[in-house]
Amino acid sequence: MTDPIYKTDALIAENIDAYLETHQHKTMLRFITCGSVDDGKSTLIGRLLYDSKMIFEDQLAALEADSKRVGTQGQEIDFALLVDGLAAEREQGITIDVAYRFFATEKRKFIVADTPGHEQYTRNMVTGASTADLAVILIDARKGVLTQTRRHSYLVNLLGIRHIVLAVNKMDLVDYDQATYDRIVADYRAFATSIGIKDFTAIPISGFKGDNITASSENTPWYSGPSLLPYLEAVEVNITADQEQPFRMPVQWVNRPNLDFRGFSGMIASGTVKPGDAVRVLPSGKTSTIARVVAFGGDKDEAVAGESVTLTLADEIDCSRGQVIVASKAPLEVADQFEASVVWMDEHEMVAGRAYWLKIGAQMVSAKVAQPKYEVDVNTQEHLAAKTLDLNSIGVATITTDREIPFAPYAESRDLGGFILIDKITNHTVAAGIIHFSLRRASNIHWQATDIGRDHHAAMKHQKPAVVWLTGLSGSGKSTIGNALEKKLARMNRHTFLLDGDNVRHGLNKDLGFTEADRVENVRRVGEVARLMTDAGLIVVTAFISPFRSERDMVRGMMEPGEFIEVFVDTPLSVAEERDVKGLYAKARSGQLKNFTGIDSPYEAPDNAEIRIDTTAMTADEAADKIIERLIP
């Protein structure tokens, strides 16, 4: 084997200023290492850092000591310890979190993401791949192509990484057998072709021994291709591709340091911009021209994709964070319904119809995910029927946002086509997704204006419409209070309608069960009906368990400000279960009734309900009077 130590730039010792000047203008390659568990990802990165002389003497001394203490390579250096920084990673000899490392050679700078191989950490791999230009997919020569190899390859392709290196690792453990290598490459090629990967570069390596890492190895005379590091230095990353696209810049910050300056700051996602260019602000569609392009060092004559700048406009038009400034003659599409691929990253399964925060670029909007059209089997590429997505599942679904947003298909722009979903209650990132295209159906439906509106309906009834939303456990007394409330309002000549949870399941919602997704849809439908009834000028009283805060907040968002009155019928579980008027708790305790709120399905009590009713200290009539005091001052 030839000496694997990579020769770094001699300018470092000779002329540090010249070296730094040269270093500043080197191109940057971002890449990830991925694959199955124990394929040697961390060891490979450690070897690259070691051979490119990116380890200080004290780090090397610590590495040698750690290798003897917690390493997995006997008395030899365990290069994986350079990357696996978490104590849990060192104890188990695996990668858990995404580890980013920087190194450089005389030709190029690199940022490498070491991503975990375990299936439960697939979400971490997606994070690392989202900004990568190239993927090194490792395969243990002893094991061949595994399920996680296929999963990561599918995700790499889905996320638009077009440069792929198939690194068949641990060749030293199979005696550098060419037949083993050829078989693995053939198996992977068959799978890669089936998922649309058109080309990849296969290299037989040993991250531990250093074969074909920085130089060709004498142990693989049958291999005539490039070694890994020279390939990474030479691979063409089309840095001008984004610059050749139309100009687009998401606004991240409105820069207003004083009364005389108002600019819009962000990183240019694509294209070029210069003073005098005609631009359009989306989604408003307002047009103007660029007055100045301001950067850190002062005004620029032109700025290109990848640069962070502040733009000032010739006209005073409304523009805020989350909006996108684009070339006037090449605007983005604006829509509120999309087909998207979704990678579910949360331990709790996706709930179809639930509202999540959708973050795309600098925009944050409320969005709902419909029941998946299908889930993808990463092994066979088969489209499977699915009602939801669970941890690490990949599916295709319709996304609906609460307002129109500017976007580009992910195939055209990562910045404007990739998004994450955030749980509104926990603030956890639950999914990552990519937009394929907008759904045209919404643009063919228009709101029909009518001459008689909600104000007229309310005036005819001499009342202000409202929704009184009674929520609480089964047996808490919601229906009893709702009935008493409606009777009192009727005696006051108020126009009302009572929507009871059990009653609507006999008709409107008879097709729904009691899964979490069905409960969400149950509340959504009732919310839509309640909204229509308030348009008719009615006071709507609803009695539903409605166990999830996010769905109650969703209904609140449907109503006019001040029209939604949440009433928490706060009855302890023990009291509700003791009442058990319908015998449901007994069935749930015996296992005959699944997904019953309070037993094997959670109830999320309101945080800031307008009214709280303690039924252990208040009668139904007293509760109704308390609600009327708030409803009709």
Side-chain angles (χ1 to χ4, degrees):
M1 182 176 67
T2 56
D3 182 3
I5 302 301
Y6 193 85
K7 295 180 180 178
T8 54
D9 201 318
L11 274 176
I12 296 177
E14 297 173 2
N15 188 332
I16 188 63
D17 291 332
Y19 168 77
L20 292 175
E21 176 65 21
T22 303
H23 184 76
Q24 184 178 356
H25 295 94
K26 291 177 183 176
T27 59
M28 171 77 76
L29 176 69
R30 295 175 178 265
F31 71 97
I32 63 167
T33 58
C34 52
S36 194
V37 182
D38 291 331
D39 280 347
K41 298 178 291 297
S42 299
T43 299
L44 173 61
I45 295 176
R47 167 63 74 173
L48 288 172
L49 294 173
Y50 180 78
D51 287 354
S52 59
K53 297 290 189 181
M54 294 301 294
I55 307 173
F56 295 110
E57 290 185 3
D58 59 336
Q59 289 178 308
L60 181 58
L63 174 63
E64 291 172 345
D66 287 345
S67 296
K68 295 176 181 178
R69 183 170 56 88
V70 295
T72 60
Q73 306 296 341
Q75 295 300 304
E76 298 191 60
I77 293 178
D78 186 351
F79 294 105
L81 297 180
L82 283 170
V83 184
D84 289 339
L86 298 176
E89 294 178 320
R90 294 187 169 210
E91 290 170 2
Q92 300 178 60
I94 63 172
T95 299
I96 296 174
D97 201 1
V98 181
Y100 293 93
R101 292 292 182 270
F102 171 86
F103 70 100
T105 67
E106 61 185 39
K107 295 182 179 179
R108 177 171 275 174
K109 295 179 286 188
F110 301 91
I111 295 178
V112 55
D114 180 26
T115 61
H118 282 71
E119 181 177 349
Q120 71 188 95
Y121 301 122
T122 298
R123 53 191 168 185
N124 298 12
M125 178 267 171
V126 173
T127 301
S130 62
T131 57
D133 303 306
L134 179 146
V136 178
I137 299 175
L138 281 89
I139 293 181
D140 188 328
R142 301 168 300 171
K143 300 175 182 178
V145 179
L146 302 176
T147 297
Q148 196 68 339
T149 313
R150 296 187 182 95
R151 184 186 300 276
H152 283 187
S153 298
Y154 182 87
L155 288 169
V156 161
N157 188 54
L158 183 68
L159 293 171
I161 299 176
R162 295 294 172 255
H163 298 289
I164 297 174
V165 174
L166 181 70
V168 183
N169 194 22
K170 304 186 181 181
M171 288 298 297
D172 54 308
L173 300 182
V174 295
D175 297 326
Y176 303 98
D177 181 51
Q178 181 181 2
T180 300
Y181 169 78
D182 289 342
R183 183 181 68 253
I184 290 172
V185 174
D187 289 346
Y188 184 81
R189 188 177 302 280
F191 171 75
T193 301
S194 71
I195 63 173
I197 295 177
K198 297 178 181 179
D199 192 25
F200 62 89
T201 299
I203 305 175
I205 67 169
S206 170
F208 176 51
K209 297 292 187 181
D211 295 284
N212 292 323
I213 301 299
T214 59
S216 298
S217 172
E218 297 173 355
N219 293 316
T220 56
W222 41 266
Y223 173 71
S224 59
S227 49
L228 180 60
L229 190 54
Y231 176 81
L232 295 178
E233 288 180 322
V235 65
E236 291 186 10
V237 179
N238 190 1
I239 59 174
T240 62
D242 288 341
Q243 299 175 13
E244 294 171 353
Q245 299 287 331
F247 168 69
R248 294 160 182 174
M249 190 192 83
V251 176
Q252 297 175 340
W253 177 45
V254 178
N255 188 351
R256 193 74 188 272
N258 55 59
L259 294 175
D260 299 322
F261 185 91
R262 181 168 175 260
F264 307 100
S265 303
M267 187 175 76
I268 301 173
S270 65
T272 61
V273 64
K274 58 184 182 297
D277 285 353
V279 294
R280 186 183 302 270
V281 177
L282 297 177
S284 69
K286 299 291 185 180
T287 59
S288 184
T289 56
I290 300 295
R292 297 170 59 191
V293 179
V294 184
F296 179 74
D299 283 20
K300 295 174 67 72
D301 294 331
E302 184 178 59
V304 300
E307 290 188 79
S308 294
V309 296
T310 296
L311 305 178
T312 65
L313 303 180
D315 304 285
E316 289 291 335
I317 62 175
D318 181 35
C319 182
S320 59
R321 174 179 167 82
Q323 297 187 341
V324 184
I325 302 176
V326 302
S328 184
K329 294 182 179 180
L332 289 170
E333 190 175 355
V334 176
D336 60 4
Q337 283 190 328
F338 317 91
E339 179 183 277
S341 287
V342 177
V343 182
W344 197 253
M345 302 162 64
D346 195 58
E347 294 178 357
H348 296 94
E349 67 180 21
M350 183 195 86
V351 180
R354 171 168 289 176
Y356 298 95
W357 291 120
L358 182 147
K359 189 174 188 303
I360 177 171
Q363 302 172 87
M364 182 85 84
V365 296
S366 184
K368 298 174 186 176
V369 187
Q371 179 175 314
K373 296 179 180 179
Y374 57 84
E375 181 181 342
V376 178
D377 185 319
V378 297
N379 285 307
T380 65
Q381 307 314 301
E382 183 181 1
H383 292 178
L384 307 175
K387 291 187 176 181
T388 185
L389 297 174
D390 53 21
L391 180 62
N392 296 325
S393 295
I394 305 167
V396 172
T398 295
I399 308 285
T400 303
T401 56
D402 64 346
R403 61 181 183 271
E404 291 190 325
I405 59 174
F407 78 100
Y410 186 83
E412 296 179 10
S413 172
R414 285 187 177 186
D415 295 320
L416 298 168
F419 63 86
I420 58 172
L421 294 176
I422 303 169
D423 187 282
K424 288 188 172 183
I425 302 299
T426 65
N427 278 331
H428 291 166
T429 299
V430 296
I434 64 173
I435 293 175
H436 299 161
F437 49 80
S438 65
L439 299 176
R440 303 290 181 181
R441 68 176 77 119
S443 62
N444 296 324
I445 301 174
H446 306 279
W447 193 268
Q448 179 63 46
T450 57
D451 293 330
I452 304 297
R454 66 186 339 265
D455 291 340
H456 185 85
H457 289 142
M460 290 177 65
K461 297 175 176 63
H462 304 288
Q463 64 184 30
K464 181 180 178 181
V467 173
V468 178
W469 192 276
L470 297 158
T471 175
L473 294 169
S474 176
S476 61
K478 300 181 299 299
S479 295
T480 304
I481 294 171
N483 190 50
L485 175 61
E486 189 175 38
K487 286 194 296 183
K488 288 177 178 288
L489 289 171
R491 288 197 291 268
M492 298 170 68
N493 292 320
R494 301 294 175 173
H495 298 263
T496 65
F497 197 91
L498 175 61
L499 290 170
D500 183 79
D502 282 354
N503 292 349
V504 297
R505 284 186 177 272
H506 286 288
L508 176 67
N509 293 343
K510 68 186 300 182
D511 60 317
L512 299 178
F514 290 91
T515 65
E516 189 170 346
D518 283 345
R519 288 177 183 274
V520 172
E521 177 61 13
N522 182 55
V523 171
R524 187 196 69 81
R525 292 183 191 178
V526 171
E528 292 288 357
V529 171
R531 184 178 63 81
L532 291 173
M533 287 183 168
T534 57
D535 285 346
L538 296 176
I539 295 173
V540 185
V541 181
T542 75
F544 289 83
I545 295 175
S546 49
F548 306 119
R549 295 188 195 97
S550 56
E551 277 61 67
R552 298 193 298 266
D553 289 342
M554 171 183 67
V555 178
R556 183 187 294 273
M558 295 178 184
M559 308 303 166
E560 295 294 318
E563 285 188 359
F564 185 86
I565 301 172
E566 186 175 35
V567 180
F568 177 29
V569 184
D570 188 3
T571 302
L573 176 62
S574 58
V575 175
E577 191 167 358
E578 184 179 328
R579 295 171 181 171
D580 203 11
V581 180
K582 304 171 186 175
L584 300 178
Y585 283 99
K587 289 182 179 179
R589 291 292 187 189
S590 66
Q592 301 177 54
L593 188 60
K594 300 295 183 183
N595 300 315
F596 190 74
T597 302
I599 304 301
D600 57 354
S601 184
Y603 177 80
E604 298 172 355
D607 290 326
N608 297 294
E610 279 77 9
I611 300 174
R612 176 183 172 271
I613 302 295
D614 180 358
T615 60
T616 64
M618 187 179 293
T619 67
D621 281 336
E622 290 171 338
D625 289 337
K626 184 174 183 179
I627 296 170
I628 288 175
E629 287 177 9
R630 171 62 184 262
L631 186 63
I632 307 174

